[in-house]
Amino acid sequence: MVSIVIVSHSAKLAEGVRELAEQMVQGQIQLAATGGIDDPENPIGTDAMKVYEAIEAVYDDDGVVVLMDLGSAVLSAELALEFLEPQRQANVYLCEAPLVEGTMAAAVQASVGGDIRQVMAEARGALAIKAGQLQAGDAAESPLAEPAGEPAETQGPVEQLRLVVYNRLGLHARPAARFVGVANRYESSISLSKGGAEANAKSINQVATLGVRQGDEIVITARGPDATLALQAIQDLADDNFGDRDEELESAAATAAAPVAEPVQTEDGAMAGIAASPGIAIGPAFQYRPRLPEVTTYSVTDAGAEWRRLEEGLAGAVQEIDQLHKTAIRQVGQAEAAIFEAHLLILQDPTLLDAAQAAIVDDRVNAEAAWFGVIEQTAADYQALDDTYMQARAADVMDVGRRVLTGLMDVERPPLEFDEPVILLAADLTPSDTVRLDPALVLGLCTELGGATSHSAILARALGIPAIVGLGPSLESVPGGQKIAIDGGQGRLWLTPEPDQLAGLEEKRRQWLLDRQRAKDASRRPAVTVDNHRVEIGANIGGPHDVTIALEFGAEGVGLFRTEFLFLDRQTAPTEEEQAAVYAEVVQAMGQRPVIIRTLDVGGDKPLPYIDLGQEDNPFLGWRGIRFCLDEPELFKTQLRAILRAGHGHNLKLMFPMIGTLTEVRAAKTLLNEAKSELKARDLPFDAQMEVGIMVEVPAAAASADQLAHEVDFFSIGTNDLTQYVMAADRGNARVTDLADALQPAVLRMIRQTVRAAHEAGIWVGMCGELAGNAQAAPLLVGLGLDELSMSAPAIPAVKEAIRGFTLTTAREIAEQALGCTSAAEVDQLLAKSFPGN
Ligand code: PEP
Ligand code: MG
């Protein structure tokens, strides 16, 4: 009789499914359940050896059907097969049917004497019963009811998206990581092709080594139940330039050059390398030469144990990189820290893991050698690309690879601690080493290899550490402790500077430090015009991780806290407690500075997996923002209660997005009052007097601003949406960017109308759309009467500096002239002409 093995990440789940099946078959067939791992701290997981033992326990020559939940359960079951005697292996079948339904159907069929073919077919068709019960249409036509001839994710509709990649460096590491991150959120199988070459869109290395460059046309093919959603998400990412800010890459690429093999001597006796991070450093040299013990290859008998060892090494590396990612966010901000997200994806890359597994299981090679072989090959693939930027990504692969090896070989990474400030000399520095550097103790950095676009160079710039790369192998012979000097901006290293050179460099360093301090101080000072008119400057943030950077750049508060991040990419809505904790983290970090928290602005184009938003023809004109929240009062009130609680004792304000009518504001306020009563009934402290504002981003709100102003405490103008709605031009459509320009006179008139209405009603008005961060537009916005401007943190210093350069009177004149312009281009010219920097 056919027997059944149930494999789950959870021992309880596996046992529960077995119990249920047992009830049906009453001991007529053999059933084994296995799940979890032997780690009391963290029992969720799967273990190939346990699966193997379960199969052996119920093995029958008539056949064994193995049903698994997901992910590593499948990997473990595959590996378990490898441990079986070959003749037994042939009788064991891994079944792709859903765990619960599949087990029940298979168990019943087996108990009535069905053969292995019948049992497998019954399991595969198991969802048909449920589909029929839920009237999902003709079950025979439903893709779910089809006997699965191939894995579930390759079924379902096939959709294609063709697009041209516009960002400066194509799908290099970080955009590739974002692309793979999005693809992995969907169940569908997704591939990416360029020319004749194809890559698995869920594999970071395959995507990155496909070598997609600016101007390339790529085709993305998705097959599966959520293919449409997946392609939409990828389209959105492409519209967002794959998350790249090209100006930064331009400046990095502009200084990039091929690494030099031999040092170039300049006429003043300096060695010349590649300028990687500006600044002057003088101090003792410190040789940092971490070495890994040799990786030796030997053959193993217990492939299962070896694979588990590699899995443990990988899990340890994931934890370490996660930690580094958090450190990097604090040190250098979200954008640069994304390097470590790419590192995590390298570790999870299915093609790498499959190759390592094949080496262990098929070739019986030890884990270190299997892993290192795969890593070296992948790094070589990057190096073979004819683009210097992509070649530099080999260092990232090696960094990740070495991290796993260090864990496997149980060697300590050499500490990066020093008794006195030093200039660090290394062959190359990995991103994870660079991010560990303390700028107070590492005065400068010199490496033999690397280019200006290597991730270490990017991180050194973000940390403000002067750096030169590509200095060549002779760097190794510099004795530790020798006093050396570097000019990172010029790419010069003096090994034995003459006294007069040293004096000149010391003076240059003093000036450099002074300039840095001035820039820092200036960004902390308020933004006050020449004639003493102050404008509040806030930061737009997406979560607690952005607060440090906001303060660093001189934010006086948070003008827009987008709360969507808490709600997306998860299977259930966040609880009140969870939200309250996150909001409290932000307000606590901001001290008594004002924080404006915007209630959920999802719907239409931003789907929530746990709420069926349906398909909309025009999502931007559909069920989003406040419209959605008013229809989902429980979800909305949960957020309102969390905000009210976090505001207790802090300067937290509440803001509703997408308001178009008075009715909506009143309905939202009614729910806010209900939320307050609920908190009162629970005897919880909250801010009963919290200020309430609205975003003015729908033209209807601007048109009726005089009425709305009497309902709320403040307005914040969202020019991103306001512009697209006023101009009827999609903010994400490249073909209508000229129209979707916030400098269009029609938009400016809407802003003026809103500001006037607010001031007449005695409330303040801010702006949190992208226009607020445009330094050149600062006189226009101040002249239009905005009281507060909120923007992404890095834009703050330039906007503050701009405001300090004009009088309110001039600003008003510029605003008047702009309102009289007949096109956005004319406004742009006017602003460029009056901007002191031009
Ligand atoms: C806006 O629309 O201007 C705005 C700030 O909101 P978002 O960009 O989040 O839609
Ligand atoms: Mg908006």
Side-chain angles (χ1 to χ4, degrees):
M1 232 171 208
V2 175
S3 51
I4 310 254
V5 173
I6 302 149
V7 183
S8 166
H9 280 65
S10 151
K12 287 186 194 149
L13 176 59
E15 184 48 36
V17 175
R18 196 198 62 79
E19 209 179 308
L20 203 58
E22 189 56 71
Q23 267 210 349
M24 294 190 177
V25 298
Q26 303 282 322
Q28 293 174 72
I29 60 162
Q30 296 190 83
L31 286 162
T34 177
I37 49 173
D38 291 329
D39 177 356
E41 297 287 330
N42 184 17
I44 300 295
T46 57
D47 181 337
M49 196 46 71
K50 283 188 163 196
V51 180
Y52 160 73
E53 283 161 4
I55 296 172
E56 284 287 10
V58 296
Y59 178 80
D60 192 301
D61 281 337
D62 284 342
V64 180
V65 174
V66 183
L67 292 117
M68 304 135 284
D69 55 8
L70 63 166
S72 74
V74 181
L75 275 180
S76 297
E78 282 173 345
L79 192 56
L81 287 191
E82 305 282 341
F83 307 149
L84 291 165
E85 299 289 325
Q87 71 273 25
R88 289 199 156 195
Q89 237 178 48
N91 291 330
V92 180
Y93 295 81
L94 304 187
C95 181
E96 69 277 15
L99 184 69
V100 180
E101 288 88 345
T103 305
M104 299 312 136
V108 171
Q109 184 64 32
S111 71
V112 297
D115 63 22
I116 187 73
R117 201 184 43 79
Q118 290 165 325
V119 173
M120 284 290 280
E122 205 54 28
R124 287 170 168 161
L127 274 184
I129 303 160
K130 198 192 262 177
Q133 279 169 350
L134 294 175
Q135 295 172 332
D138 180 357
E141 274 174 32
S142 159
L144 296 174
E146 293 276 339
E150 36 182 351
E153 74 264 26
T154 61
Q155 292 190 2
V158 180
E159 306 232 358
Q160 268 196 343
L161 171 68
R162 187 177 289 272
L163 45 91
V164 175
V165 173
Y166 288 111
N167 56 319
R168 165 78 176 74
L169 292 170
L171 290 188
H172 63 89
R174 280 180 291 170
R178 292 182 196 112
F179 179 91
V180 172
V182 169
N184 271 300
R185 274 192 234 137
Y186 296 89
E187 206 186 303
S188 298
S189 60
I190 307 174
S191 66
L192 162 68
S193 62
K194 185 193 102 172
E198 187 169 287
N200 174 356
K202 297 182 181 180
S203 155
I204 181 68
N205 293 305
Q206 284 199 15
V207 170
T209 51
L210 199 58
V212 176
R213 308 244 195 90
Q214 188 180 35
D216 282 351
E217 187 180 75
I218 55 173
V219 179
I220 298 120
T221 308
R223 181 200 290 264
D226 50 7
T228 312
L229 286 176
L231 292 189
Q232 183 55 52
I234 290 172
Q235 177 73 63
D236 290 348
L237 182 69
D239 292 345
D240 188 31
N241 210 28
F242 291 96
D244 263 0
R245 281 166 288 139
D246 283 348
E247 326 76 65
E248 279 181 10
L249 295 166
E250 293 275 5
S251 67
T255 50
V260 290
E262 284 305 322
V264 180
Q265 212 73 29
T266 64
E267 66 290 349
D268 61 353
M271 274 166 72
I274 299 164
S277 173
I280 312 288
I282 303 163
F286 184 97
Q287 292 284 359
Y288 178 65
R289 303 277 160 182
R291 301 221 193 278
L292 266 184
E294 281 291 298
V295 176
T296 44
T297 307
Y298 54 89
S299 99
V300 293
T301 45
D302 189 348
E306 208 58 15
W307 172 247
R308 272 200 303 285
R309 222 160 61 72
L310 181 54
E311 280 192 316
E312 276 164 24
L314 292 166
V318 166
Q319 273 183 4
E320 285 176 25
I321 296 176
D322 225 24
Q323 205 49 48
L324 270 177
H325 185 219
K326 291 196 179 100
T327 313
I329 289 174
R330 276 200 309 277
Q331 305 250 66
V332 294
Q334 191 89 20
E336 308 304 2
I339 290 167
F340 295 104
E341 285 172 25
H343 282 200
L344 281 175
L345 284 172
I346 292 173
L347 274 185
Q348 289 153 11
D349 191 322
T351 51
L352 274 187
L353 298 182
D354 284 353
Q357 194 181 45
I360 293 176
V361 174
D362 301 342
D363 307 337
R364 303 271 152 178
V365 161
N366 58 314
E368 293 85 352
W371 175 248
F372 200 55
V374 169
I375 281 292
E376 274 192 317
Q377 181 55 52
T378 311
D381 289 345
Y382 278 100
Q383 240 139 15
L385 295 170
D386 54 3
D387 172 330
T388 48
Y389 191 89
M390 293 306 289
Q391 286 167 0
R393 306 288 71 83
D396 291 294
V397 173
M398 289 309 289
D399 188 7
V400 173
R402 286 203 193 102
R403 177 171 298 284
V404 176
L405 275 185
T406 327
L408 279 176
M409 299 168 101
D410 206 18
V411 284
E412 288 282 312
R413 280 175 94 77
L416 275 163
E417 290 158 9
F418 319 97
D419 299 334
E420 56 174 345
V422 298
I423 296 180
L424 204 67
L425 312 186
D428 200 2
L429 216 54
T430 62
S432 36
D433 279 337
T434 315
V435 83
R436 285 196 295 154
L437 300 180
D438 175 354
L441 285 175
V442 179
L443 301 170
L445 253 185
C446 295
T447 64
E448 292 171 20
L449 305 167
T453 51
S454 67
H455 280 149
S456 319
I458 294 172
L459 288 171
R461 281 194 288 277
L463 286 166
I465 299 177
I468 311 173
V469 296
L471 279 158
S474 60
L475 205 59
E476 192 168 8
S477 54
V478 179
Q482 178 171 313
K483 187 171 183 178
I484 59 172
I486 66 169
D487 181 340
Q490 301 284 323
R492 300 272 166 101
L493 160 65
W494 289 265
L495 292 177
T496 46
E498 300 293 335
D500 59 326
Q501 282 175 328
L502 211 49
L505 285 164
E506 264 159 7
E507 173 51 26
K508 225 173 152 186
R509 176 170 167 81
R510 209 184 54 77
Q511 195 54 47
W512 172 66
L513 290 174
L514 211 65
D515 289 347
R516 269 201 343 180
Q517 195 51 45
R518 279 207 192 104
K520 224 172 184 172
D521 292 348
S523 73
R524 300 247 159 85
R525 289 203 318 273
V528 183
T529 61
V530 174
D531 50 352
N532 236 3
H533 172 76
R534 177 160 182 189
V535 184
E536 302 282 333
I537 303 292
N540 293 351
I541 65 165
H545 44 267
D546 291 334
V547 170
T548 317
I549 290 290
L551 292 173
E552 196 112 290
F553 279 105
E556 295 156 12
V558 169
L560 169 65
F561 175 3
R562 293 180 167 103
T563 52
E564 289 75 59
F565 88 101
L566 254 171
F567 291 79
L568 304 171
D569 295 336
R570 51 188 295 157
Q571 294 310 315
T572 52
T575 62
E576 180 183 319
E577 297 302 324
E578 194 182 334
Q579 291 185 58
V582 172
Y583 305 151
E585 203 180 328
V586 170
V587 284
Q588 269 154 19
M590 292 302 289
Q592 276 312 308
R593 297 176 186 87
V595 174
I596 301 177
I597 188 162
R598 180 177 77 182
T599 57
L600 189 59
D601 185 15
V602 289
D605 62 322
K606 293 182 214 151
L608 286 183
Y610 42 90
I611 292 188
D612 182 9
L613 298 164
Q615 279 285 336
E616 292 184 311
D617 286 340
N618 293 300
F620 275 116
L621 302 180
W623 198 42
R624 64 171 285 201
I626 199 70
R627 306 167 184 185
F628 163 80
C629 283
L630 291 177
D631 289 346
E632 292 287 339
E634 287 316 314
L635 183 92
F636 190 36
K637 279 197 292 176
T638 304
Q639 183 176 38
L640 294 175
R641 288 192 302 268
I643 295 171
L644 286 165
R645 284 173 61 182
H648 181 65
H650 290 278
N651 193 355
L652 185 58
K653 305 172 203 296
L654 182 68
M655 178 159 76
F656 299 124
M658 286 295 291
I659 293 287
T661 67
L662 271 174
T663 318
E664 284 168 346
V665 188
R666 288 178 181 154
K669 282 168 59 180
T670 303
L671 288 174
L672 181 64
N673 284 335
E674 281 180 26
K676 287 181 184 173
S677 308
E678 286 158 9
L679 289 174
K680 212 180 255 165
R682 283 159 58 195
D683 221 9
L684 287 170
F686 64 94
D687 181 2
Q689 307 304 326
M690 186 174 284
E691 283 184 34
V692 176
I694 58 165
M695 288 200 62
V696 176
E697 53 184 342
V698 176
S704 43
D706 55 335
Q707 296 172 328
L708 290 166
H710 295 291
E711 291 289 331
V712 291
D713 301 304
F714 65 90
F715 286 159
S716 184
I717 302 177
T719 46
N720 309 341
D721 277 318
L722 184 62
T723 306
Q724 78 164 342
Y725 294 133
V726 169
M727 301 306 298
D730 184 341
R731 66 196 248 190
N733 185 338
R735 292 213 175 128
V736 291
T737 36
D738 286 352
L739 280 172
D741 183 339
L743 293 180
Q744 287 284 355
V747 180
L748 301 183
R749 286 164 189 232
M750 285 283 183
I751 296 173
R752 180 180 57 178
Q753 186 174 345
T754 306
V755 174
R756 279 191 178 161
H759 287 172
E760 270 163 27
I763 64 169
W764 64 267
V765 54
M767 176 181 285
C768 59
E770 289 304 305
L771 181 61
N774 177 345
Q776 199 162 280
L780 165 65
L781 303 180
V782 175
L784 284 171
L786 285 149
D787 303 295
E788 179 243 28
L789 298 173
S790 187
M791 60 206 74
S792 71
I796 292 176
V799 170
K800 282 189 169 179
E801 200 50 43
I803 292 175
R804 292 185 195 118
F806 54 78
T807 61
L808 181 59
T809 319
T810 322
R812 285 185 174 144
E813 281 164 16
I814 292 173
E816 263 330 296
Q817 285 175 37
L819 288 163
C821 287
T822 55
S823 69
E826 213 179 304
V827 178
D828 198 33
Q829 274 168 16
L830 168 74
L831 297 178
K833 199 166 64 173
S834 35
F835 194 61
N838 295 338

